Amino acid sequence: MGEKIASCDELIIISECKYGMYSPFIKNILDRSIGYIHPYFTIRNNEIHHKSRYKKQINMRVYFYGDNISHEEKEMAQELVKGNGINLNTKTSDTIFVKNILTIGGTL
């Protein structure tokens, strides 16, 4: 997975918002993509993060869907995506919320 992520220009993640987090399935995929970064650490934005394995930076866009995503869940999800973006050393990391997964196609 790490090699596949490194070969793209943009990583798009689509997940149901579960308590301000990714769905368990998407979380599992992201956990298995850890090879995209080194196991060693560095400091970025005054925080400890994994070192980058690849020089290329990608963009990351995360779509969360759900009918009743609370304000608190949105805040947690945005912080999660921001942290993932820093850890993955992305150029940008955007978080978009939609009510229905079927409406995502019109925003891509």
Short mmCIF file of all heavy atoms in Angstrom, two decimals, residues 58-62 81-86 90-95:
data_model
loop_
_atom_site.label_atom_id
_atom_site.label_comp_id
_atom_site.label_asym_id
_atom_site.label_seq_id
_atom_site.Cartn_x
_atom_site.Cartn_y
_atom_site.Cartn_z
N ILE A 58 2.04 14.32 -1.49
CA ILE A 58 0.75 14.17 -2.16
C ILE A 58 -0.29 15.03 -1.45
O ILE A 58 -0.06 15.52 -0.35
CB ILE A 58 0.30 12.70 -2.19
CG1 ILE A 58 0.12 12.16 -0.76
CG2 ILE A 58 1.28 11.84 -2.97
CD1 ILE A 58 -0.52 10.79 -0.69
N ASN A 59 -1.42 15.19 -2.10
CA ASN A 59 -2.57 15.84 -1.49
C ASN A 59 -3.46 14.76 -0.91
O ASN A 59 -3.52 13.65 -1.42
CB ASN A 59 -3.35 16.65 -2.53
CG ASN A 59 -2.51 17.77 -3.09
OD1 ASN A 59 -1.90 18.52 -2.36
ND2 ASN A 59 -2.47 17.88 -4.40
N MET A 60 -4.16 15.07 0.16
CA MET A 60 -5.08 14.13 0.77
C MET A 60 -6.43 14.80 0.96
O MET A 60 -6.50 15.93 1.47
CB MET A 60 -4.55 13.64 2.12
CG MET A 60 -5.43 12.60 2.77
SD MET A 60 -4.69 11.87 4.26
CE MET A 60 -4.93 13.15 5.44
N ARG A 61 -7.47 14.12 0.52
CA ARG A 61 -8.83 14.62 0.68
C ARG A 61 -9.66 13.51 1.31
O ARG A 61 -9.67 12.38 0.83
CB ARG A 61 -9.41 15.00 -0.67
CG ARG A 61 -10.66 15.82 -0.57
CD ARG A 61 -11.24 16.28 -1.87
NE ARG A 61 -10.32 16.31 -3.00
CZ ARG A 61 -10.70 16.46 -4.25
NH1 ARG A 61 -11.97 16.59 -4.54
NH2 ARG A 61 -9.82 16.46 -5.22
N VAL A 62 -10.32 13.83 2.41
CA VAL A 62 -11.13 12.84 3.13
C VAL A 62 -12.58 13.28 3.12
O VAL A 62 -12.90 14.39 3.52
CB VAL A 62 -10.63 12.65 4.58
CG1 VAL A 62 -11.50 11.63 5.31
CG2 VAL A 62 -9.17 12.22 4.61
N VAL A 81 -7.78 14.14 10.53
CA VAL A 81 -7.27 14.27 9.16
C VAL A 81 -6.06 15.19 9.12
O VAL A 81 -5.07 14.91 8.44
CB VAL A 81 -8.38 14.75 8.20
CG1 VAL A 81 -7.83 15.10 6.84
CG2 VAL A 81 -9.48 13.70 8.09
N LYS A 82 -6.11 16.26 9.87
CA LYS A 82 -4.97 17.18 9.94
C LYS A 82 -3.73 16.44 10.46
O LYS A 82 -2.65 16.54 9.90
CB LYS A 82 -5.31 18.36 10.85
CG LYS A 82 -4.19 19.35 11.01
CD LYS A 82 -4.61 20.46 11.97
CE LYS A 82 -3.44 21.34 12.33
NZ LYS A 82 -3.79 22.31 13.38
N GLY A 83 -3.90 15.67 11.54
CA GLY A 83 -2.79 14.91 12.10
C GLY A 83 -2.28 13.85 11.15
O GLY A 83 -1.07 13.65 11.00
N ASN A 84 -3.20 13.15 10.47
CA ASN A 84 -2.79 12.16 9.47
C ASN A 84 -2.02 12.82 8.34
O ASN A 84 -1.02 12.28 7.85
CB ASN A 84 -3.99 11.42 8.89
CG ASN A 84 -4.64 10.45 9.85
OD1 ASN A 84 -5.80 10.14 9.70
ND2 ASN A 84 -3.91 9.96 10.84
N GLY A 85 -2.46 14.00 7.92
CA GLY A 85 -1.78 14.72 6.86
C GLY A 85 -0.36 15.10 7.26
O GLY A 85 0.57 14.97 6.46
N ILE A 86 -0.19 15.54 8.49
CA ILE A 86 1.15 15.89 8.97
C ILE A 86 2.01 14.63 9.04
O ILE A 86 3.15 14.61 8.59
CB ILE A 86 1.08 16.58 10.35
CG1 ILE A 86 0.40 17.94 10.23
CG2 ILE A 86 2.48 16.73 10.95
CD1 ILE A 86 0.04 18.58 11.56
N THR A 90 1.82 15.20 3.82
CA THR A 90 1.08 15.61 2.62
C THR A 90 1.24 17.11 2.38
O THR A 90 1.55 17.86 3.30
CB THR A 90 -0.42 15.28 2.75
OG1 THR A 90 -0.96 15.99 3.87
CG2 THR A 90 -0.65 13.80 2.93
N LYS A 91 1.02 17.52 1.12
CA LYS A 91 1.01 18.95 0.80
C LYS A 91 -0.21 19.60 1.41
O LYS A 91 -0.14 20.65 2.02
CB LYS A 91 1.00 19.16 -0.72
CG LYS A 91 2.32 18.98 -1.39
CD LYS A 91 2.30 19.49 -2.81
CE LYS A 91 1.66 18.46 -3.71
NZ LYS A 91 1.74 18.78 -5.13
N THR A 92 -1.36 18.98 1.18
CA THR A 92 -2.63 19.48 1.71
C THR A 92 -3.43 18.31 2.27
O THR A 92 -3.23 17.17 1.87
CB THR A 92 -3.48 20.16 0.61
OG1 THR A 92 -3.80 19.18 -0.39
CG2 THR A 92 -2.77 21.33 -0.01
N SER A 93 -4.32 18.62 3.19
CA SER A 93 -5.24 17.62 3.71
C SER A 93 -6.58 18.31 3.96
O SER A 93 -6.67 19.20 4.80
CB SER A 93 -4.70 16.96 4.98
OG SER A 93 -4.42 17.92 5.97
N ASP A 94 -7.57 17.94 3.18
CA ASP A 94 -8.89 18.55 3.27
C ASP A 94 -9.89 17.54 3.83
O ASP A 94 -9.82 16.35 3.54
CB ASP A 94 -9.36 19.00 1.89
CG ASP A 94 -8.46 20.06 1.29
OD1 ASP A 94 -8.02 20.95 2.03
OD2 ASP A 94 -8.20 19.99 0.08
N THR A 95 -10.84 18.06 4.60
CA THR A 95 -11.91 17.24 5.16
C THR A 95 -13.24 17.78 4.66
O THR A 95 -13.52 18.97 4.82
CB THR A 95 -11.88 17.28 6.70
OG1 THR A 95 -10.56 17.02 7.15
CG2 THR A 95 -12.83 16.25 7.29
#
